């Protein structure tokens, strides 16, 4: 029974370093791409805030850019995390991040490192679209409420009897 729990515990952390290695650059690329695209749209349209459709398009493109550039890291992470076959642990095919990249490259070439690129880009584009649209909508709603509150406060100060 102890072996089973040990296997589950270790299985939860299989590929954790590879997950961090993928998630950190993916997040940075996604956020910076969105902000860059947002600034470009605002500069071109001379607006102060994105329209909803603009937010959706910038979010989708930012997610697609991030996913396409980090797919090799995702392939490596997935290979490390899915080395278990059936109910028992197979002999480890991959021993770490560097060994995984070398083995994939040796056996499959560059194509192996881009495995699943299309579905990952579509998934990330959709997910980022929802996330950035929700973020921009909430940001503008909070900003609007804050400005209304400040305006009411200022009007009370200016109208107060002397």
């Amino acid at each position: 029974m102890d072996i089973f729990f040990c296997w589950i515990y270790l299985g939860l952390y299989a590929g954790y370093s590879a997950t961090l290695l993928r998630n950190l650059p993916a997040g940075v690329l996604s956020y910076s791409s969105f902000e860059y695209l947002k600034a470009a749209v605002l500069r071109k349209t001379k607006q102060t805030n994105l329209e909803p459709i603009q937010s959706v398009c910038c979010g989708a493109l930012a997610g697609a850019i991030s996913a396409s550039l980090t797919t090799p890291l995702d392939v490596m992470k997935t290979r490390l995390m899915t080395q278990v076959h059936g109910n028992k642990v197979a002999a480890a095919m991959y021993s770490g991040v560097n060994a995984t990249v070398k083995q994939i490259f040796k056996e499959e070439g560059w194509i192996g490192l881009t495995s699943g690129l299309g579905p990952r880009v579509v998934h990330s584009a959709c997910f980022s679209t929802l996330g950035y649209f929700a973020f921009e909508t909430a940001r503008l709603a909070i900003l609007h409420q804050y400005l209304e509150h400040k305006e009411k406060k200022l009007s009370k100060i200016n109208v107060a009897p002397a």
Side-chain angles (χ1 to χ4, degrees):
M1 201 64 154
D2 289 329
I3 292 173
F4 177 73
F5 287 114
C6 182
W7 175 77
I8 291 213
Y9 178 75
L10 292 175
L12 290 174
Y13 294 100
Y16 184 70
S17 60
T19 300
L20 289 177
L21 193 63
R22 180 213 50 191
N23 286 355
L24 292 174
V28 168
L29 283 168
S30 181
Y31 292 127
S32 58
S33 295
F34 179 77
E35 289 300 324
Y36 176 81
L37 293 166
K38 177 181 165 182
V41 168
L42 294 176
R43 191 172 39 254
K44 185 160 180 86
T45 61
K46 298 190 182 352
Q47 296 174 309
T48 55
N49 296 304
L50 291 177
E51 296 292 325
I53 190 69
Q54 294 168 332
S55 179
V56 164
C57 291
C58 288
L61 195 53
I65 290 168
S66 173
S68 62
L69 293 174
T70 58
T71 292
L73 299 172
D74 187 61
V75 169
M76 175 194 51
K77 175 211 58 98
T78 303
R79 300 282 178 96
L80 278 168
M81 293 177 85
T82 58
Q83 308 189 67
V84 177
H85 303 285
N87 289 336
K88 53 187 170 181
V89 179
M93 237 176 110
Y94 308 109
S95 59
V97 173
N98 287 336
T100 303
V101 172
K102 286 178 184 174
Q103 189 166 350
I104 292 170
F105 190 71
K106 184 177 105 183
E107 293 175 2
E108 303 169 48
W110 287 107
I111 297 297
L113 290 171
T114 60
S115 181
L117 176 70
R120 184 160 188 271
V121 167
V122 170
H123 171 268
S124 291
C126 293
F127 188 75
S128 292
T129 296
L130 294 172
Y132 288 117
F133 176 74
F135 174 77
E136 283 295 307
T137 302
R139 185 183 70 79
L140 289 175
I142 292 168
L143 180 63
H144 182 70
Q145 273 188 332
Y146 174 76
L147 292 175
E148 276 184 0
H149 177 72
K150 281 293 191 187
E151 192 175 294
K152 284 179 186 175
K153 225 176 176 182
L154 284 174
S155 67
K156 284 181 184 177
I157 292 171
N158 291 337
V159 176

